[in-house]
Amino acid sequence: MKTKLLTQNEIEIAARLIAGGELVAFPTETVYGLGADAMNADAVRAIFTAKGRPADNPLIVHISDFDMIYQVAREVPEIAVRLAKAFWAGPLTMVLPKRSEIPSVTSGGLDTVGIRMPSHPIARELIRLSGCPIAAPSANRSGKPSPTTAKHVMDDMNGRISAVIDGGLCEVGVESTVICFDDEKTIHILRPGIISQEDLQPFAEYVYVDKAVYSQIAPDAKVASPGMKYKHYAPKAKIIPIETDDFSKFMDYVQSHANVNTWCLLFDSDPEPENVSFMRYGDNGREQAHFLFLRFRELDEHGADTVYVRCPRKDGTSLSVYNRLMRAAGFEVITI
Ligand code: TXA
Ligand code: MG
């Protein structure tokens, strides 16, 4: 199969492919998604094959306007309506009871389904023109960092899918915040994104973050969100986060462990290090989210074998970056 690279003026071609049961990758404000008609079980099965994704890891169903939620969800609680008004279109995914019309392959066999209305105009137009909700995981091969450019998608998926729409670099850079509701008063954060716990707090009595966000889950453990148990987001290089307030301690550690292909991933405000290759990824959560996956892929292109990373904060937007970094590092961190 030859993978077509489409421009943003060719969304109609992409929509016809989706409607015909084929796979098309497209930009969203978070990362590129690998889309198929969410109601077409064969098309959705092809997503799992193209990605090499475990069949029990459910997909997010993308919609282009609020009313489409009723084609996907069996029940929509008041709290979900309030959150949709506040955060859609945007990087928030809500897990709700699924309608029986949604094939069980889409939801990884669960009777719930993750739903999101992306804000990216290309994504919205693609859904609208396709005439169906679009199931889309991130468009990387399973285990690799999520793609934030069309080139990343091509690097992983060329020859495996029908087309990619090139929408340039994604703005947010990490995947959406995924939540479910334990009840009308309680928001349970399954995966942190740039919509933070603090942002969600005004909408519920309790907002809590699943423990799998901070620590390793045994592969056979029962988890609220299957995606959390798989190793993820990892470049080929070994990622070693170092937690310290003191840049000189960070550099001392790196200098005493460095070899030829050792790199550092630093904050923008850090001084320039001597005798070691480095990249920077911003100073705050928003910037670090934007750059993290991009830097992972660049580090691989440079042949990095070990990368020591300045550890992001764990609050607000930064938690999304901390979580991706920990997953890339297998939750091993050096604290100095
Ligand atoms: O920003 C995003 O969310 C991107 C773009 C393309 O929209 N999509 C994305 O999809 O990151 P994916 O498949 O890479 O991640 C979906 C996550 C997985 O961790 C999955 O386990 C979880 O959402 N999830 C999906 N449906 C779920 C459900 N019914 N219950 C619990 N977790 C669910
Ligand atoms: Mg993914």
Side-chain angles (χ1 to χ4, degrees), residues 198-219:
E198 290 82 347
D199 294 333
L200 296 168
Q201 202 67 67
F203 296 87
E205 242 168 74
Y206 311 102
V207 183
Y208 72 103
V209 180
D210 198 281
K211 63 180 187 310
V213 167
Y214 301 100
S215 54
Q216 182 87 287
I217 294 295

Side-chain angles (χ1 to χ4, degrees), residues 60-302:
I60 294 171
V61 174
H62 296 70
I63 60 177
S64 54
D65 66 83
F66 179 77
D67 284 341
M68 278 178 87
I69 199 172
Y70 300 104
Q71 293 176 35
V72 183
R74 192 175 67 234
E75 284 160 44
V76 182
E78 260 313 303
I79 188 170
V81 177
R82 287 198 301 275
L83 287 167
K85 282 198 179 118
F87 296 106
W88 280 0
L92 180 71
T93 297
M94 296 193 270
V95 173
L96 295 174
K98 139 183 135 49
R99 281 184 76 101
S100 58
E101 290 83 354
I102 301 291
S104 93
V105 56
T106 303
S107 63
L110 300 174
D111 66 357
T112 57
V113 59
I115 308 175
R116 158 164 131 79
M117 182 159 92
S119 64
H120 198 296
I122 294 178
R124 296 276 287 289
E125 187 66 358
L126 178 66
I127 301 163
R128 203 180 62 74
L129 292 173
S130 301
C132 56
I134 293 184
S138 50
N140 51 291
R141 292 273 294 164
S142 207
K144 297 249 278 163
S146 296
T148 53
T149 68
K151 178 184 176 296
H152 298 165
V153 178
M154 274 297 196
D155 289 346
D156 281 17
M157 292 295 169
N158 196 2
R160 300 179 155 265
I161 62 177
S162 296
V164 183
I165 308 175
D166 190 346
L169 180 63
C170 298
E171 188 195 327
V172 174
V174 294
E175 308 84 348
S176 61
T177 306
V178 179
I179 60 171
C180 65
F181 306 105
D182 294 359
D183 55 52
E184 271 280 346
K185 293 185 198 146
T186 311
I187 298 175
H188 178 171
I189 299 178
L190 300 172
R191 180 178 72 181
I194 59 148
I195 295 174
S196 65
Q197 180 171 18
E198 290 82 347
D199 294 333
L200 296 168
Q201 202 67 67
F203 296 87
E205 242 168 74
Y206 311 102
V207 183
Y208 72 103
V209 180
D210 198 281
K211 63 180 187 310
V213 167
Y214 301 100
S215 54
Q216 182 87 287
I217 294 295
D220 54 350
K222 191 172 163 9
V223 288
S225 182
M228 297 192 294
K229 67 187 179 194
Y230 297 108
K231 180 165 173 154
H232 239 74
Y233 315 123
K236 292 189 200 91
K238 182 167 172 54
I239 295 293
I240 305 181
I242 300 183
E243 206 167 356
T244 177
D245 291 338
D246 187 338
F247 178 71
S248 60
K249 284 190 183 155
F250 173 90
M251 277 322 301
D252 287 348
Y253 186 92
V254 173
Q255 300 289 7
S256 62
H257 290 78
N259 60 41
V260 271
N261 286 321
T262 298
W263 284 69
C264 297
L265 190 53
L266 306 179
F267 300 150
D268 286 3
S269 53
D270 287 333
E272 192 151 315
E274 279 166 34
N275 308 323
V276 59
S277 306
F278 68 98
M279 290 184 191
R280 300 186 184 274
Y281 79 126
D283 271 326
N284 58 49
R286 275 306 280 240
E287 292 169 1
Q288 291 164 353
H290 179 73
F291 285 112
L292 185 74
F293 290 149
L294 188 66
R295 294 292 182 256
F296 278 178
R297 289 194 180 243
E298 290 170 350
L299 286 159
D300 274 351
E301 279 168 19
H302 281 89

